Amino acid sequence: MKIVFATNNAHKLAEVSAVLGEGYELVTLKEVGITEDIPETGETLDENATIKARYVYERTGLDCFADDTGLEVEALNGAPGVRSARYATDGHDFAANNRKLLLEMRDKENRRARFRTVISLIRGGVEQQVEGIVNGTIATAEAGCGGFGYDPLFIPDGHQITFAEMSAEAKNSISHRGRAVAALTELLKK
Ligand code: IMP
Protein backbone atom coordinates (compact mmCIF):
# COMPACT_ATOMS: atom_id res chain seq x y z
CA MET A 1 0.00 0.00 0.00
CA LYS A 2 1.41 3.37 -1.07
CA ILE A 3 1.03 6.18 1.41
CA VAL A 4 2.67 9.59 1.77
CA PHE A 5 4.43 10.24 5.08
CA ALA A 6 4.66 14.01 5.55
CA THR A 7 8.35 14.09 6.39
CA ASN A 8 11.80 14.36 4.85
CA ASN A 9 13.48 13.26 8.08
CA ALA A 10 15.48 10.10 7.34
CA HIS A 11 15.56 9.03 11.02
CA LYS A 12 11.80 9.13 11.26
CA LEU A 13 11.27 7.43 7.93
CA ALA A 14 13.49 4.52 9.02
CA GLU A 15 11.75 4.23 12.43
CA VAL A 16 8.25 4.33 10.99
CA SER A 17 9.03 1.93 8.10
CA ALA A 18 10.44 -0.57 10.59
CA VAL A 19 7.27 -0.52 12.70
CA LEU A 20 4.81 -0.51 9.77
CA GLY A 21 6.43 -3.55 8.17
CA GLU A 22 6.68 -4.72 4.58
CA GLY A 23 3.16 -4.20 3.29
CA TYR A 24 3.59 -0.42 3.05
CA GLU A 25 5.55 1.76 0.67
CA LEU A 26 6.19 5.09 2.33
CA VAL A 27 6.55 8.05 0.00
CA THR A 28 8.29 11.19 1.27
CA LEU A 29 7.32 14.83 0.72
CA LYS A 30 10.17 15.31 -1.76
CA GLU A 31 8.94 12.37 -3.80
CA VAL A 32 5.52 14.00 -4.24
CA GLY A 33 7.11 17.35 -5.11
CA ILE A 34 6.52 19.17 -1.81
CA THR A 35 9.85 20.86 -1.17
CA GLU A 36 8.76 23.79 0.99
CA ASP A 37 8.51 23.54 4.79
CA ILE A 38 4.90 22.94 5.81
CA PRO A 39 3.97 25.69 8.30
CA GLU A 40 3.44 24.27 11.78
CA THR A 41 1.27 27.04 13.15
CA GLY A 42 -0.85 24.98 15.56
CA GLU A 43 -0.90 25.52 19.32
CA THR A 44 -1.02 21.78 20.02
CA LEU A 45 0.53 18.60 18.65
CA ASP A 46 -2.93 17.50 17.47
CA GLU A 47 -3.42 20.71 15.49
CA ASN A 48 -0.01 20.51 13.84
CA ALA A 49 -0.48 16.88 12.78
CA THR A 50 -3.84 17.82 11.23
CA ILE A 51 -2.43 20.90 9.48
CA LYS A 52 0.40 18.89 7.92
CA ALA A 53 -1.80 15.98 6.77
CA ARG A 54 -4.36 18.35 5.22
CA TYR A 55 -1.60 20.29 3.47
CA VAL A 56 -0.36 17.12 1.76
CA TYR A 57 -3.84 15.85 0.94
CA GLU A 58 -4.94 19.17 -0.57
CA ARG A 59 -1.89 19.27 -2.86
CA THR A 60 -1.67 15.62 -3.86
CA GLY A 61 -5.07 14.00 -3.24
CA LEU A 62 -3.10 10.96 -2.02
CA ASP A 63 -3.60 8.94 1.14
CA CYS A 64 -1.19 10.38 3.66
CA PHE A 65 -0.30 10.79 7.29
CA ALA A 66 1.59 13.36 9.32
CA ASP A 67 2.98 13.22 12.83
CA ASP A 68 3.88 15.75 15.45
CA THR A 69 5.84 14.92 18.57
CA GLY A 70 6.66 16.77 21.73
CA LEU A 71 8.48 16.17 24.98
CA GLU A 72 6.18 17.17 27.84
CA VAL A 73 7.97 17.79 31.15
CA GLU A 74 5.80 17.91 34.28
CA ALA A 75 7.94 20.39 36.24
CA LEU A 76 7.96 22.75 33.24
CA ASN A 77 4.16 22.69 32.86
CA GLY A 78 4.34 20.57 29.72
CA ALA A 79 7.18 22.47 28.01
CA PRO A 80 8.86 22.17 25.58
CA GLY A 81 5.75 20.39 24.20
CA VAL A 82 4.59 21.65 20.83
CA ARG A 83 7.75 23.81 20.67
CA SER A 84 10.17 20.88 21.18
CA ALA A 85 12.02 21.43 17.89
CA ARG A 86 12.54 25.14 18.53
CA TYR A 87 13.00 25.15 22.29
CA ALA A 88 16.40 26.88 22.40
CA THR A 89 16.71 28.40 18.94
CA ASP A 90 14.72 28.85 15.72
CA GLY A 91 16.39 25.87 14.12
CA HIS A 92 16.39 22.19 15.04
CA ASP A 93 19.49 22.52 17.23
CA PHE A 94 19.35 19.32 19.28
CA ALA A 95 22.48 20.12 21.32
CA ALA A 96 21.22 23.58 22.28
CA ASN A 97 17.79 22.17 23.16
CA ASN A 98 19.34 19.58 25.45
CA ARG A 99 21.54 22.19 27.14
CA LYS A 100 18.51 24.41 27.74
CA LEU A 101 16.47 21.51 29.13
CA LEU A 102 19.24 20.55 31.56
CA LEU A 103 19.50 24.17 32.69
CA GLU A 104 15.74 24.54 33.22
CA MET A 105 15.72 21.25 35.18
CA ARG A 106 18.82 21.92 37.32
CA ASP A 107 16.92 22.51 40.58
CA LYS A 108 13.85 20.37 39.84
CA GLU A 109 13.15 17.35 42.00
CA ASN A 110 10.26 16.17 39.87
CA ARG A 111 11.88 14.89 36.68
CA ARG A 112 8.80 13.14 35.25
CA ALA A 113 8.26 13.61 31.52
CA ARG A 114 6.66 11.96 28.55
CA PHE A 115 7.05 11.90 24.81
CA ARG A 116 3.78 12.13 22.94
CA THR A 117 3.29 11.55 19.21
CA VAL A 118 0.08 12.38 17.41
CA ILE A 119 -0.53 11.00 13.92
CA SER A 120 -3.23 12.32 11.59
CA LEU A 121 -4.18 9.93 8.80
CA ILE A 122 -6.20 10.92 5.75
CA ARG A 123 -7.39 7.90 3.82
CA GLY A 124 -9.93 8.13 1.03
CA GLY A 125 -10.46 11.73 2.16
CA VAL A 126 -11.41 10.65 5.70
CA GLU A 127 -9.37 11.96 8.63
CA GLN A 128 -8.50 9.99 11.74
CA GLN A 129 -6.07 10.58 14.60
CA VAL A 130 -4.09 8.29 16.91
CA GLU A 131 -1.47 8.95 19.58
CA GLY A 132 1.37 7.16 21.32
CA ILE A 133 2.89 8.00 24.70
CA VAL A 134 5.99 6.85 26.58
CA ASN A 135 6.48 7.96 30.17
CA GLY A 136 9.87 8.44 31.77
CA THR A 137 12.25 10.83 33.51
CA ILE A 138 14.77 13.48 32.48
CA ALA A 139 18.37 12.42 33.26
CA THR A 140 20.75 14.79 35.07
CA ALA A 141 23.34 14.54 32.26
CA GLU A 142 23.35 13.43 28.63
CA ALA A 143 24.16 9.78 27.96
CA GLY A 144 24.43 7.81 24.71
CA CYS A 145 24.81 8.76 21.07
CA GLY A 146 22.01 6.84 19.31
CA GLY A 147 18.69 8.30 18.16
CA PHE A 148 18.23 12.05 17.94
CA GLY A 149 16.72 15.06 19.66
CA TYR A 150 16.17 14.67 23.40
CA ASP A 151 17.08 10.95 23.37
CA PRO A 152 20.31 11.42 25.42
CA LEU A 153 18.23 12.92 28.27
CA PHE A 154 15.17 10.65 28.32
CA ILE A 155 15.08 7.52 30.48
CA PRO A 156 11.92 5.53 29.72
CA ASP A 157 10.10 3.95 32.69
CA GLY A 158 11.29 0.43 33.46
CA HIS A 159 14.82 1.15 32.16
CA GLN A 160 18.06 2.53 33.64
CA ILE A 161 19.42 3.89 30.35
CA THR A 162 18.43 6.71 28.00
CA PHE A 163 16.84 6.26 24.58
CA ALA A 164 20.19 7.29 23.08
CA GLU A 165 21.86 4.29 24.77
CA MET A 166 19.34 1.79 23.35
CA SER A 167 19.39 0.02 20.00
CA ALA A 168 16.97 1.40 17.43
CA GLU A 169 14.86 -1.78 17.76
CA ALA A 170 14.65 -1.49 21.55
CA LYS A 171 13.65 2.19 21.31
CA ASN A 172 11.07 1.55 18.57
CA SER A 173 9.42 -1.22 20.56
CA ILE A 174 8.50 1.12 23.44
CA SER A 175 8.70 4.63 22.01
CA HIS A 176 5.92 7.20 21.59
CA ARG A 177 6.33 7.05 17.81
CA GLY A 178 6.50 3.23 17.83
CA ARG A 179 3.24 3.13 19.78
CA ALA A 180 1.54 5.74 17.59
CA VAL A 181 2.62 3.88 14.46
CA ALA A 182 1.36 0.59 15.94
CA ALA A 183 -2.02 2.32 16.42
CA LEU A 184 -1.78 3.67 12.86
CA THR A 185 -1.11 0.13 11.57
CA GLU A 186 -4.29 -1.06 13.32
CA LEU A 187 -6.24 1.75 11.64
CA LEU A 188 -4.81 0.89 8.22
CA LYS A 189 -5.76 -2.78 8.64
CA LYS A 190 -9.44 -1.89 9.15
P1 IMP B 1 8.70 16.10 15.32
O1 IMP B 1 7.32 16.60 15.47
O2 IMP B 1 8.76 14.61 15.19
O3 IMP B 1 9.49 16.81 14.26
O4 IMP B 1 9.45 16.36 16.68
C1 IMP B 1 9.65 17.64 17.22
C2 IMP B 1 10.88 17.64 18.08
O5 IMP B 1 10.69 16.73 19.18
C3 IMP B 1 12.15 17.15 17.38
O6 IMP B 1 12.82 18.20 16.75
C4 IMP B 1 12.95 16.61 18.54
O7 IMP B 1 13.60 17.65 19.21
C5 IMP B 1 11.89 16.04 19.45
N1 IMP B 1 11.68 14.60 19.19
C6 IMP B 1 10.73 14.03 18.41
N2 IMP B 1 10.84 12.70 18.42
C7 IMP B 1 11.87 12.42 19.24
C8 IMP B 1 12.49 11.19 19.65
O8 IMP B 1 12.11 10.07 19.29
N3 IMP B 1 13.52 11.31 20.50
C9 IMP B 1 13.99 12.51 20.93
N4 IMP B 1 13.47 13.68 20.57
C10 IMP B 1 12.42 13.63 19.73
Side-chain angles (χ1 to χ4, degrees):
M1 186 192 294
K2 222 177 189 174
I3 187 159
V4 183
F5 179 17
T7 190
N8 283 318
N9 176 330
H11 275 294
K12 272 204 217 170
L13 198 72
E15 280 192 13
V16 173
S17 301
V19 181
L20 266 182
E22 281 178 1
Y24 300 91
E25 185 193 339
L26 292 189
V27 181
T28 62
L29 288 175
K30 258 189 216 132
E31 288 170 312
V32 293
I34 297 177
T35 50
E36 67 278 18
D37 280 341
I38 302 177
E40 295 188 24
T41 50
E43 283 300 310
T44 62
L45 299 175
D46 307 50
E47 275 176 33
N48 275 342
T50 301
I51 289 169
K52 285 190 275 185
R54 286 187 190 167
Y55 189 96
V56 175
Y57 184 69
E58 279 161 17
R59 275 159 189 76
T60 66
L62 299 169
D63 288 351
C64 57
F65 64 91
D67 71 325
D68 203 32
T69 295
L71 175 67
E72 300 174 334
V73 181
E74 263 186 27
L76 304 178
N77 300 316
V82 72
R83 282 173 244 293
S84 290
R86 293 171 202 80
Y87 189 41
T89 67
D90 257 0
H92 293 241
D93 187 337
F94 295 148
N97 286 342
N98 284 337
R99 277 197 302 275
K100 178 167 177 180
L101 183 59
L102 275 179
L103 200 64
E104 297 287 332
M105 292 297 288
R106 68 192 179 285
D107 55 355
K108 300 284 191 281
E109 259 175 45
N110 175 8
R111 304 192 73 89
R112 300 292 303 156
R114 66 181 193 172
F115 273 114
R116 192 161 72 91
T117 294
V118 178
I119 295 179
S120 277
L121 168 71
I122 301 182
R123 196 167 47 147
V126 178
E127 248 182 272
Q128 286 168 292
Q129 216 166 50
V130 291
E131 71 170 9
I133 289 173
V134 59
N135 291 299
T137 52
I138 302 300
T140 50
E142 290 187 44
C145 48
F148 67 102
Y150 298 96
D151 280 348
L153 286 177
F154 186 81
I155 302 171
D157 283 354
H159 297 262
Q160 310 297 325
I161 57 174
T162 69
F163 264 165
E165 295 176 287
M166 291 183 170
S167 68
E169 297 74 39
K171 177 187 167 187
N172 286 346
S173 70
I174 56 165
S175 82
H176 45 301
R177 194 162 21 257
R179 287 175 176 160
V181 176
L184 172 71
T185 310
E186 287 308 306
L187 269 191
L188 288 172
K189 277 191 203 150
K190 281 186 191 155

